[in-house]
Amino acid sequence: MKLLLSVLKRTRKAAVCASRQRCLSSCARGGLILLRDEALIVGSSPELVQRLCSQVEVRTGFITEEEEGALLRELEPGLKKKRYEFDHWDDAIHGYRETERVRWEAACEEVLNRVRSVAFPAGSPLLGPVHILDLDKTGYIKAHVDSVKFCGNTIAGLSLLSDSIMRLVKQDAASEWLDLLLPRRSLYILRDEARYNFTHEILKDEESVFNGQRVPRLRRISVICRNVPD
Ligand code: OGA
Ligand code: MN
């Protein structure tokens, strides 16, 4: 049980996002279909967005409502037995409970295989257990980089129950940043430079504004696959 969770030691870096220059077109929400994935990503400059676009992906509607329901049915009983952690202030995550899972029932396994096949090169060895992180409505993830010792070059996560905003900030240049809108039931993928040289964080509800648009953050469960380092 402690296997994966104990190795997911997150190195923490304060990321101050000072001057923000919104550069891409605004995102159409509220029932409108997002036609271009670029609308899910805004950044400090068009050059940065361009440079990272092969390393950062957000795929909307990656799972159906039924598949989200199947994942929740599988995960809720175990999660409900745990209490949300609020008091570890120096930890990278606030207001969360987490678990990991190796065996899944068929419908869930099929979803995870789809995640694996789009996010990782064929044959790339993955961390066996899938990581599940349940953020309370008041919970959030501070800026951090996943441990390079235990996680490889790719992180792929499904978002259940809530939209959210993931912010990436360049470690040695806080003025370089990307905001990703992660709609409920989407898949995000971070690779290479975006994974190693940028911190990532999930904004708290009060700060959850994407490109000028408020994005209410409710309870959110993420289902995260990682590969192992070379
Ligand atoms: C983590 C993390 C992101 C997410 O657990 O290290 O960054 O989508 N999670 O929950
Ligand atoms: Mn992380």
Side-chain angles (χ1 to χ4, degrees), residues 32-170:
L32 282 178
I33 295 165
L34 295 164
L35 292 175
R36 301 184 320 145
D37 269 359
E38 289 95 312
L40 300 172
I41 302 176
V42 295
S44 49
S45 71
E47 293 74 25
L48 182 70
V49 175
Q50 181 70 30
R51 182 154 61 82
L52 289 190
C53 70
S54 62
Q55 303 169 31
V56 176
E57 274 182 60
V58 180
R59 300 191 181 205
T60 46
F62 190 78
I63 60 172
T64 64
E65 284 179 36
E66 291 69 32
E67 288 169 332
E68 179 186 43
L71 288 165
L72 291 170
R73 275 194 301 282
E74 179 115 342
L75 295 173
E76 282 280 33
L79 288 170
K80 284 208 170 113
K81 293 191 191 125
K82 298 172 180 247
R83 283 189 308 121
Y84 286 110
E85 311 257 352
F86 289 99
D87 23 68
H88 296 182
W89 281 98
D90 56 345
D91 206 9
I93 311 186
H94 179 74
Y96 72 102
R97 49 193 181 186
E98 64 187 338
T99 187
E100 59 189 352
R101 201 170 191 92
V102 179
R103 308 249 163 266
W104 299 77
E105 62 91 11
C108 299
E109 187 63 30
E110 197 203 299
V111 169
L112 289 165
N113 282 336
R114 225 159 65 223
V115 172
R116 292 173 185 126
S117 70
V118 304
F120 302 93
S124 161
L126 305 188
L127 281 172
V130 174
H131 178 203
I132 290 96
L133 183 66
D134 178 351
L135 281 183
D136 178 69
K137 180 178 167 38
T138 61
Y140 55 94
I141 305 179
K142 302 175 202 169
H144 69 279
V145 174
D146 284 19
S147 163
V148 294
K149 200 161 157 202
F150 301 107
C151 309
N153 70 335
T154 303
I155 302 167
L158 293 170
S159 299
L160 314 183
L161 294 177
S162 178
D163 299 344
S164 61
I165 297 166
M166 177 176 273
R167 177 164 295 160
L168 306 187
V169 180
K170 189 146 195 251

